[in-house]
């Protein structure tokens, strides 16, 4: 039929992604400790997935071979390179324009329905704790690598 599949992924900043998922704690009848416990261990499932773990394992068992965070980041970048045509980080307009350019589709205004109207409050200690857990898991390095490869992040350093 002359069709070409376009595989896309839009990632979010790891800390922002993690903080926004915090709202599901009540829906899963969970506590803060239970919600973050899995990030303290190199393997096992949690109630949610970080960006890096989602790319690598989707909803499956997390890091079952207990590889290093560097190996996880390297493998995730290979997956993005091999299997995705469009990779963006938190830029909805860039993502939309890239997909429209690749497909030739017309622009259609989409309603914003996946928004949280409530309030999320985090202490400085909890934000720092999440940042440390995400760093140890490899998510911060992963997002840095994605931004460098797909968005020219810090490319001026190569000049």
């Amino acid at each position: 039929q002359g069709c070409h599949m376009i595989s896309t992924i839009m990632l979010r900043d790891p800390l922002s992604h993690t903080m926004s998922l915090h709202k599901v704690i009540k829906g899963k009848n969970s506590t803060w400790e239970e919600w973050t416990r899995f990030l303290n261990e190199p393997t096992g499932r949690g109630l949610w997935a970080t960006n890096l773990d989602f790319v690598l394992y989707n909803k499956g068992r997390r890091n079952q071979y207990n590889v290093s965070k560097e190996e996880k980041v390297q493998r995730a970048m290979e997956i993005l390179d091999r299997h995705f045509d469009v990779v963006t980080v938190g830029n909805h307009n860039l993502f939309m324009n890239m997909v429209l350019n690749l497909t030739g589709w017309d622009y259609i205004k989409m309603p914003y329905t996946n928004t949280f109207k409530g309030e999320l409050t985090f202490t400085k200690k909890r934000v720092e704790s999440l940042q440390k857990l995400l760093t140890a898991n490899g998510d911060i390095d992963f997002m840095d690598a994605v931004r460098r490869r797909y968005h020219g992040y810090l490319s001026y350093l190569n000049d």
Side-chain angles (χ1 to χ4, degrees):
Q1 296 275 329
C3 297
H4 176 76
M5 182 178 147
I6 297 172
S7 203
T8 65
I9 187 169
M10 181 171 48
L11 301 166
R12 294 180 62 191
D13 171 78
L15 186 59
S16 174
H17 170 75
T18 301
M19 291 172 74
S20 75
L21 288 177
H22 181 264
K23 64 187 174 277
V24 303
I25 284 180
K26 288 181 185 174
K28 294 195 181 263
N29 197 22
S30 183
T31 64
W32 174 267
E33 290 73 26
E34 187 178 38
W35 191 70
T36 57
R37 182 181 318 134
F38 80 99
L39 284 176
N40 287 305
E41 302 164 5
T43 64
R45 274 196 191 138
L47 298 174
W48 57 282
T50 68
N51 283 313
L52 177 58
D53 289 341
F54 182 77
V55 168
L56 291 171
Y57 316 111
N58 199 331
K59 300 266 184 194
R61 187 166 169 223
R62 186 174 155 264
N63 198 10
Q64 62 188 358
Y65 300 109
N66 197 19
V67 298
S68 69
K69 73 178 187 175
E70 292 80 12
E71 290 172 293
K72 288 171 61 175
V73 169
Q74 181 181 359
R75 178 66 182 129
M77 292 304 292
E78 289 172 5
I79 289 170
L80 294 180
D81 288 344
R82 290 182 185 168
H83 301 289
F84 289 90
D85 301 298
V86 175
V87 178
T88 61
V89 179
N91 186 331
H92 291 85
N93 285 330
L94 174 64
F95 182 82
M96 176 190 69
N97 288 326
M98 290 176 80
V99 170
L100 291 177
N101 287 336
L102 287 168
T103 62
W105 294 341
D106 292 330
Y107 170 79
I108 298 174
K109 183 172 173 65
M110 294 184 65
Y112 293 101
T113 57
N114 187 18
T115 58
F116 180 66
K117 305 283 190 234
E119 185 175 310
L120 296 175
T121 305
F122 290 86
T123 64
K124 179 180 178 190
K125 183 178 178 179
R126 283 198 170 165
V127 170
E128 289 171 346
S129 171
L130 285 175
Q131 187 74 15
K132 286 178 185 173
L133 290 168
L134 292 167
T135 298
N137 191 56
D139 282 87
I140 305 302
D141 291 342
F142 173 55
M143 203 51 53
D144 184 63
V146 169
R147 286 182 174 128
R148 284 174 184 251
R149 180 158 309 151
Y150 295 100
H151 297 289
Y153 176 67
L154 299 177
S155 60
Y156 64 88
L157 295 175
N158 296 331
D159 295 338

